[in-house]
């Protein structure tokens, strides 16, 4: 059976300690991506593997990386062609083929990095891939994949196409779609409302769905 891997990214905006502890408890392995090690340490957690160039991790974290006693280290030269997250995903593929991935501490800080993170995670099509933050959980859906959402009545849901020629269906929401095309990064699927058990399907292309943990927070334009 494939395992589940928590990838703690190096965003300067980190997840809460409670969320990190909950996610770590649900996953079989934990990978720290550069400054993501500090987020784990702040929550009283460790990791199985550290991946990065150690350019943003704290002095305390760097000392642990240098000692390399409690976890494995894949340290890279800062003058590299790939981001630390790209290298971390490669590490997951090598170590745990077919693993489900949950990424956190991934969406805060710089908007350019947030777009890059989305693109990198979208390229991981080995198994289901999630983004979990304190206010939102997201799922990247490739062709033929679906997401069933239960117990989220009244909560905000958005879906955005992140590949050309994406076609989706949404049922159980205020505004439903049936084999409807979504323009690349278009706003067609923004700020919907979950009304009952919902099912989101991607028939073609790639989309990212966002379920906000609080109640409805927007309107459909």
């Amino acid at each position: 059976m494939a395992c589940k891997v928590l990838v703690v990214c190096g965003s300067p905006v980190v997840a809460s300690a409670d969320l990190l502890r909950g996610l770590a408890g649900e996953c079989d392995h934990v990978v720290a991506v550069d400054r993501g090690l500090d987020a784990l340490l702040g929550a009283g957690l460790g990791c199985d593997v550290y991946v990065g160039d150690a350019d943003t991790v704290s002095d305390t974290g760097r000392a642990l990386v240098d000692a390399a006693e409690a976890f494995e280290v894949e340290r890279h030269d800062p003058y590299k062609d790939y981001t630390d997250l790209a290298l971390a995903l490669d590490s997951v593929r090598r170590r745990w083929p077919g693993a489900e991935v949950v990424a956190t501490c991934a969406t805060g800080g710089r908007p350019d990095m947030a777009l890059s993170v989305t693109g990198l995670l979208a390229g991981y099509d080995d198994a289901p891939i999630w983004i979990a933050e304190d206010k939102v959980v997201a799922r990247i859906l490739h062709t033929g994949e679906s997401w069933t959402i239960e117990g989220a009545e009244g909560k905000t849901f958005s879906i955005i196409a992140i590949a050309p020629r994406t076609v989706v269906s949404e049922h159980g929401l205020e505004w439903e779609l049936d084999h409807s095309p979504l323009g690349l990064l278009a706003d067609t699927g923004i700020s919907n409302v979950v009304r009952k058990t919902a099912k989101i399907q991607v028939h073609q292309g790639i989309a990212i769905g966002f379920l906000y943990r609080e109640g409805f927070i927007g309107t459909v334009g």
Side-chain angles (χ1 to χ4, degrees), residues 141-145 157-163 165-171 173 175-183 188-189 192 199-209:
L141 296 165
H142 298 87
T143 300
E145 293 184 331
F157 179 84
S158 293
I159 191 165
I160 300 172
I162 52 177
R165 297 177 292 280
T166 294
V167 178
V168 306
S169 292
E170 298 181 319
H171 299 289
L173 305 177
W175 295 273
E176 297 192 334
L177 300 173
D178 187 9
H179 289 79
S180 299
L182 290 183
T188 308
N192 212 330
K199 186 173 183 179
I200 316 301
Q201 296 174 280
V202 171
H203 307 288
Q204 180 177 311
I206 309 173
I208 182 169

Side-chain angles (χ1 to χ4, degrees), residues 33 97 102 118 133-134:
V33 183
V102 181
T118 301
E133 308 291 3
D134 285 287

Side-chain angles (χ1 to χ4, degrees), residues 34 52-55 75-82 84:
D34 210 342
D53 52 22
D55 66 339
R75 191 162 182 172
H76 298 272
D77 191 308
Y79 296 98
K80 58 190 186 301
D81 294 328
Y82 302 98
D84 290 329

Side-chain angles (χ1 to χ4, degrees), residues 2-107:
C3 63
K4 183 183 288 189
V5 179
L6 175 62
V7 176
V8 183
C9 304
S11 167
V13 180
V14 302
S16 68
D18 285 344
L19 179 63
L20 286 170
R21 285 191 286 264
L23 293 174
E26 296 169 1
C27 292
D28 301 289
H29 305 284
V30 178
V31 176
V33 183
D34 210 342
R35 178 166 36 195
L37 179 60
D38 291 328
L40 287 164
L41 294 175
L45 299 168
C47 64
D48 298 295
V49 182
Y50 172 90
V51 180
D53 52 22
D55 66 339
T56 59
V57 71
S58 67
D59 291 342
T60 299
R62 189 176 297 108
L64 290 174
V65 171
D66 291 339
E69 294 179 351
F71 49 85
E72 294 187 61
V73 173
E74 294 185 18
R75 191 162 182 172
H76 298 272
D77 191 308
Y79 296 98
K80 58 190 186 301
D81 294 328
Y82 302 98
T83 64
D84 290 329
L85 177 58
L87 296 168
L89 291 174
D90 284 343
S91 179
V92 171
R93 287 188 177 100
R94 284 187 281 103
R95 292 172 179 274
W96 307 289
E100 184 174 352
V101 169
V102 181
T104 190
C105 302
T107 58

